Amino acid sequence: MNHTIAARRGQATVASILCFICAVAAPAMWFLLVDSELLRSTGLVSWLCVLASVAFGLSALRRDKGWGVRLRVGVSFVVCGLFGTLFLVLLALPPSEKMAALTVAPDFTLPDQNGQMVQLRDPKVKGPTLLVFFRGHW
Amino acid sequence: MVSANKLAFPILSDPKLEVIGAYGLIHPGAGPKGNAIAKPAMLLVAADGRIVWRFQSPRVQERARVADILQALALAP
């Protein structure tokens, strides 16, 4: 019986360490994959890390409720919670009412990468124009 | 950036955020040095100046899907 308890404790320790690694991997993977449009906007790989962390954590706690396991799993779940809060809440953007209310695009003239002035409603341009506001890297 | 990525469209510079402000898209403090930058958004402007399609990102990391943009372009006057 001692052998079984020791084995369960060992498994719980491994699972709780994997739980922590997956929790820390969630935000790390998001930053590493930030150049992939799909992965950046959905956070897909990161959410899979969160799921894995939760699975390992629950598995560890089932096998051993000692303070070492609880501490590692607890810290891991806090990290997962912080990532979820960051991703869903802190990065949320309240919509611009001014933008939503515009019916006609305000005309403007700005320099391009060569210093040439470019006008939005250039009479020489016949078709529609796609105007993209971007922040820098992405 | 334009030559490195062989872009077929111009990239314009709005350092005083005058145009960004005219479109209501200033995002205060979001830049790398705590400076204001633009909220991510896209508009499809018809030749007569009417806005026929627009997208505002609900979260900083999201952008309009290419399929949606192409569909808007196909329907544009």
Side-chain angles (χ1 to χ4, degrees), chain A residues 37 40-41 87 91 93-94 96 98-100 102-106 108 111-113 120 126 128-129 131 133 135 138, chain B residues 2 11-13 19 21-25 27 38-45 47 49 51 54 56 58-61 63:
Chain A
E37 163 114 33
R40 180 186 68 235
S41 64
F87 194 87
L91 292 181
L93 285 171
S96 160
K98 185 173 181 181
M99 215 293 243
L102 288 173
T103 46
V104 172
F108 59 80
D112 72 3
Q113 67 277 9
L120 173 69
K126 296 296 171 218
T129 300
L131 179 58
F133 288 87
R135 300 149 70 74
W138 46 267
Chain B
V2 172
I11 298 200
L12 308 182
S13 172
V19 175
Y23 283 76
L25 292 170
H27 193 183
K39 290 187 188 179
M42 286 193 187
L43 301 96
L44 188 57
V45 183
I51 297 173
R54 74 194 79 204
Q56 283 197 67
R59 268 178 283 279
V60 161
Q61 68 272 30
R63 299 291 179 275

